[in-house]
Structures are given as structure tokens and as C-alpha cells.
Amino acid sequence: MTEHTLTVAGVAVDTRHWIGGERVASTETFPDVSPIDGSVLGEISRGTAVEATAAVAAAKASFPAWAATPRAERARILHAIADGVEKRLEELAIVETTDNGALLRSHRRGVMPRVAHNFRFFADWLLKLEHEDFETRGHTNHVSWDPAGPCVLITPWNAPLMLATWKVAPALAAGNTVVLKPAEWTPLTASLLADIAAEAGLPAGVLNVVQGYGSEIGDALTSHPDVRRISFTGSVPTAKRISASAAANLTPLSLELGGKSPLLVFADADLDLAVDLAVEQYDNAGQVCLAATRFLVQESVAEEFTRRFVEKAGQLTQGDPRDEATDIGPNIHPRQLEKIDGFVQRAIAAGARAVIGGHRGDGQYYAPTLLTDVAQDSEIVQEEVFGPVLTLQTFADEDEAVRLANDTRFGLAATVATGDPERAERVTAQLVAGTVWTNCFFVRDLQAPFGGSRHSGVGREGGTWSFDFYCDLKNTVTAPKGWQSHE
Ligand code: NAD
């Protein structure tokens, strides 16, 4: 234990950066606060351009050797990291819950196993990544996925380690080196990941972790000329700043951003299923980019749907996320709570009616809220709230449902509840979204392309799409033996 260690439920976490295989402290720190009770967990090294530059230099120096490491060896180390995650699963789960307030039972049973799976999946995908050679007038074309170089990966607080490893794993598998910048509200599990990766034998400098406020350290990372890829998950305004910063070097970007996704409920749907899907939208206290926050319900079933939804939502337990019985935990930060309440109060002032909720709870909790009587062009329908706040509108027919569903600047996901397979086919074909679910929600396979349309993102990651982004694709054309150029 050193002055640079904090402990969460007996788990020691180093509060310094991880650069070039060494812990590096900044002179300044920032407090890391738990949303559960507002307690300060510890003081975290507060990075600046100095640490950003050092981390990119470490990533650059370690790149040639890692890029030249045979695929099988890279895959072996990624599996060893997955082993380490599984070994420390309980520790990661309690640290993450304490840091971001999401449910401990989800972290234990869903999220942390998925973190391990991120490494296993991309390790295995790497080994089968190939493109069949093809011929052009007797010449062989050979396509290769060459490592691109140092990658900057910037992640948000709502699912910190899940979203970080969804980027770190394919970037490392591809033979790249990484500088990871976790969100300032939730830096802890990234620090533990650095320990796990080192124990798994990942060479020094291949994974670096720098901490700090995006406004203080971000620019130095995203404008650095030695950075070959930037993958960002977060908000639209930050994405615009990062895009401008990356433009100086034409650094390729992958942007996974916000959403305002619809849940379309047709009169022919299994209403129990539709209500189950609807109530799921309060998961993680509504802090889920993919959440279907706009309910669009066919007029003839709107009343019954609302009745059943209110009944089901009333059964949810809000409270300490470490408690097995809790369904909805706290929101991440007083500032976020302020933002959520601002959206709700402005909506109510503009004529919206709170069917349930519509106000803060105790401490850092927000009452699960459903608003009706909302106009399509209102702020509450058009803007992402990122809290447990849902809206309900009705539609008369399929055309109106599709029109309302597509009428925002976002296009991350959409969910359709219908009992008619032909309707499902017609409607899903017209929806603008990176992912569309029919009669289900949040089924995500790592081999599927993932990303958003319009302001919900740029590019797709997942399976081969991740390698397309993280690699420099090269086509090598070889002439047949004895070929003469005049032939
Ligand atoms: P945010 O944009 O405020 O911050 C995200 C990250 O960017 C943080 O690490 C932050 O420190 C960093 N950052 C801030 N300013 C920066 C700058 N100038 N340069 C570089 N980095 C900078 O987002 P947030 O509030 O942490 O996250 C919530 C948002 O993320 C929501 O909009 C949500 O929908 C979105 N999100 C999207 C997905 C997806 O996969 N599409 C997943 C989760 C969250």
C-alpha cells in the first residue's frame, strides 16, 4: 500500500497513470467520488499534455515489436488477460459498482464476464481473419490486415470497463498499441486492467492508461501526429471537438455517440412482452446509450400499455446498487442529476404530463419517469437525457410510426414490438438505426457491426469491422513467375 493507492471494499487500486510499464504520478490530482453515497474514494493523478505525450511516446516505442509479434502469441496474451479478468471478477465488479453506481449483480453476472469475452472473442477472431487470395489476369491479390500504430481510446462512465475493453481488445489483437483515457468520473477499473494486462505478460508500453479531465488532457491525445487511430465513445459535443482536433493529422476516427432510440409498439404485439421491453429501459438508471427512451404506441393499445407499464415499473426497487434486490441505482453525478431534472422540468413547463416520477428522489437518485403529452419537436423528444426518463407518444398507423421513429438527429438503435412478421420486415427496413431489435432488446453479438447513423456515430466496430478500423488494409499484387510487362 502506498500513498498512491486507494481501497474499495478491500481491493487496492493504484491511482497513478500507467505509462511504458510503470506507474507515473502527476503533481495534481482530482477526487473520485462514489455516486452511491457521495464519499470520496481517493485522489487520482490528473493528467495533462505531459502525461499524454509520454503515453503516446511509449505506445510508439513499443509498437514495432508488438506489431511483429505472431498472431498466435498476441491471441495467447489476450486470452491470458481474459483469465486475469475472470480471476478478479468479484473485485472488478465491486470496484465498478462503487465507482459508477451500476448494479453489482449486473457487473457480476453480465458485464464482467462480457469484459473477459471481449478479449477472448477478438483473440479468436484475429486467428481466423483472412481474405481469400484472388486473381487479376494471372496476378495474385493478397489482402492483409496490417497493424496501424498507436491508438487513442477514449471512453465514458456509464459502462467503463465494458466499453474500454470493447476497444482495447480489438486494438491490441490487431497488433496496435494503446493509450486508454477512461472517464474522469470512473477511472478505477482501467487502472486494474493495466495491472491485469501486465500480469498476463503484455509487454510494457503496449497498453498505457492516462487519467484526467477530457478538457485538460484530451487535445494532446487527439491532436498528436503519432496517433494512427482514435476510437471514442461519448457525447456528440465532445465528438465534434475530437473530430476537429484529429483533423489536423487526418487521424481516422470511430465515434460511438448518443441516441434517442424509439420503442415501437404495434396493436398486434404481445403486450406483456412489450411492457417487459419498455421497463428494461430504466436499466442502469437510464444511462444506456442504446436505451429506447421514446415509446411510440399504437393508439388502440396505448391506454392498456400505459396501465401495465405503470404497474410493472411500480414493482422496481430503487436503492443501493450493491443490494441484490435493487433494480435501479443512483445516477452518476450531481451535475448529471441536475441535467436530468432540467430536461424534465422544462418538459413539464411546456405541457408534458408525468404519468410516473417527474422529480428527484433522495440523494443521487431520480424517480423513474414517464412523460406523455409531448410534442415531436420538443426538447424532451429530440434530446438525449441519459437518465431514467422516458416519453410516450401514440401513432395511428405504420407510416406515422416510422415517421416519428426516424424524426430525430440520432440513429443508434430501434426496437419494434409486433406479432406480425411481415410488418416487422416492412418497418425494420425503413428505420434509420445501427441496430434494430424485433421483439427483443440488447441482444448483442460481438461479430455484428455496431455503431450509429446520423449523429449517433461514425463507423462501425465489431467482428471484422473492428479489424477494418484498427488495421491498415493492404492489397499486395504479385505477378506470375516469368511475367513480362508487355504481355
Ligand atoms: P463525454 O463526451 O462527456 O465524455 C466521454 C469521454 O470523453 C470522457 O473520457 C471524457 O473525459 C472525454 N473527453 C471530454 N472532453 C474531451 C476532449 N476535448 N478531448 C478528448 N476527450 C474528451 O460523454 P459522457 O458523459 O462520459 O458519456 C455519455 C455519452 O456517451 C452519452 O451521450 C451516451 O449516449 C454516450 N455513449 C455512447 C455509447 C455508444 O456505444 N454509442 C455507449 C455509451 C455511452
Side-chain angles (χ1 to χ4, degrees):
M1 215 65 69
T2 71
E3 57 169 316
H4 299 296
T5 308
L6 61 77
T7 54
V8 174
V11 183
V13 185
D14 202 302
T15 58
R16 294 168 291 181
H17 313 282
W18 176 250
I19 299 173
E22 285 178 9
R23 289 290 173 182
V24 175
S26 295
T27 42
E28 302 282 317
T29 62
F30 64 95
D32 183 31
V33 178
S34 173
I36 299 176
D37 55 9
S39 60
V40 176
L41 300 170
E43 290 290 328
I44 310 294
S45 271
R46 179 170 171 173
T48 62
V50 173
E51 291 85 355
T53 308
V56 174
K60 185 181 180 186
S62 62
F63 173 68
W66 181 245
T69 302
R71 282 183 178 196
E73 176 61 5
R74 295 206 300 259
R76 189 191 65 74
I77 293 177
L78 261 65
H79 275 291
I81 297 174
D83 293 342
V85 168
E86 282 163 359
K87 208 167 87 199
R88 301 191 67 180
L89 194 138
E90 278 297 314
E91 296 181 10
L92 290 166
I94 187 64
V95 170
E96 195 82 298
T97 288
T98 310
D99 209 12
N100 90 331
L103 300 187
L104 182 58
R105 64 175 149 94
S106 314
H107 282 146
R108 274 187 176 140
R109 296 204 269 281
V111 176
M112 294 308 163
R114 180 68 173 233
V115 165
H117 183 58
N118 280 341
F119 286 100
R120 297 202 191 286
F121 172 87
F122 285 106
D124 294 344
W125 202 265
L126 167 72
L127 296 182
K128 59 184 184 194
L129 193 64
E130 57 181 45
H131 191 293
E132 218 171 284
D133 287 355
F134 54 99
E135 259 192 39
T136 309
R137 297 192 308 276
H139 298 59
T140 307
N141 289 259
H142 175 72
V143 176
S144 56
W145 276 264
D146 293 0
C151 301
V152 162
L153 311 178
I154 301 176
T155 50
W157 44 263
N158 64 318
L161 195 59
M162 229 282 284
L163 293 170
T165 54
W166 152 254
K167 298 179 189 303
V168 169
L172 294 181
N176 297 320
T177 52
V178 164
V179 178
L180 169 65
K181 210 299 275 171
E184 51 270 38
W185 287 345
T186 54
L188 300 186
T189 47
S191 179
L192 293 177
L193 178 68
D195 294 340
I196 291 169
E199 283 159 21
L202 191 72
V206 173
L207 170 66
N208 306 276
V209 179
V210 289
Q211 304 157 149
Y213 294 112
S215 55
E216 294 177 356
I217 193 172
D219 232 24
L221 292 170
T222 54
S223 65
H224 200 297
D226 291 334
V227 170
R228 297 284 173 252
R229 294 290 185 276
I230 299 168
S231 180
F232 169 75
T233 299
S235 65
V236 172
T238 307
K240 289 182 181 176
R241 276 195 288 276
I242 290 177
S243 302
S245 171
N249 302 301
L250 293 177
T251 311
L253 286 166
S254 170
L255 303 173
E256 299 184 347
L257 313 177
K260 194 73 186 177
S261 302
L263 164 64
L264 291 78
V265 180
F266 287 91
D268 57 22
D270 171 343
L271 268 202
D272 284 335
L273 171 72
V275 168
D276 284 348
L277 297 175
V279 172
E280 259 191 76
Q281 309 311 321
Y282 288 134
D283 276 3
N284 205 8
Q287 302 165 137
V288 177
C289 58
L290 293 163
T293 51
R294 292 186 296 134
F295 298 167
L296 303 175
V297 186
Q298 195 148 18
E299 281 161 3
S300 58
V301 293
E303 210 178 306
E304 180 60 11
F305 172 87
T306 308
R307 192 188 64 73
R308 291 198 212 178
F309 175 82
V310 169
E311 189 184 319
K312 189 112 195 171
Q315 293 162 7
L316 297 174
T317 310
Q318 196 167 27
D320 191 320
R322 294 165 295 195
D323 187 337
E324 273 285 311
T326 298
D327 300 303
I328 305 179
N331 286 100
I332 182 77
H333 195 274
R335 226 165 51 223
Q336 184 67 13
L337 208 64
E338 197 69 39
K339 199 176 135 200
I340 295 167
D341 198 44
F343 275 116
V344 172
Q345 300 319 322
R346 285 192 297 278
I348 290 173
R353 183 170 65 85
V355 180
I356 56 171
H359 53 84
R360 289 162 184 255
D362 293 334
Q364 221 155 276
Y365 293 82
Y366 203 85
T369 296
L370 178 69
L371 299 172
T372 56
D373 301 336
V374 290
Q376 179 62 24
D377 62 356
S378 63
E379 180 193 54
I380 197 69
V381 170
Q382 294 292 327
E383 296 298 325
E384 183 184 50
V385 176
F386 226 52
V389 177
L390 310 167
T391 59
L392 189 148
Q393 297 166 270
T394 60
F395 62 83
D397 55 23
E398 219 173 272
D399 284 349
E400 191 183 11
V402 170
R403 185 176 59 73
L404 294 175
N406 286 339
D407 182 23
T408 74
R409 68 190 163 107
F410 296 104
L412 190 55
T415 303
V416 181
T418 174
D420 178 351
E422 285 175 16
R423 187 199 297 284
E425 212 174 304
R426 272 195 312 273
V427 170
T428 56
Q430 296 175 75
L431 293 173
V432 180
T435 302
V436 181
W437 287 289
T438 304
N439 296 325
C440 60
F441 178 67
F442 224 86
V443 180
R444 273 200 60 199
D445 194 309
L446 295 188
Q447 65 186 304
F450 179 80
S453 305
R454 299 176 176 166
H455 280 204
S456 287
V458 173
R460 296 291 183 271
E461 294 187 41
T464 302
W465 289 275
S466 289
F467 288 97
D468 285 353
F469 173 69
Y470 286 111
C471 293
D472 282 333
L473 279 146
K474 184 166 70 194
N475 185 34
T476 304
V477 184
T478 307
K481 212 165 171 219
W483 183 78
Q484 303 285 309
S485 62
H486 56 80
E487 276 180 22

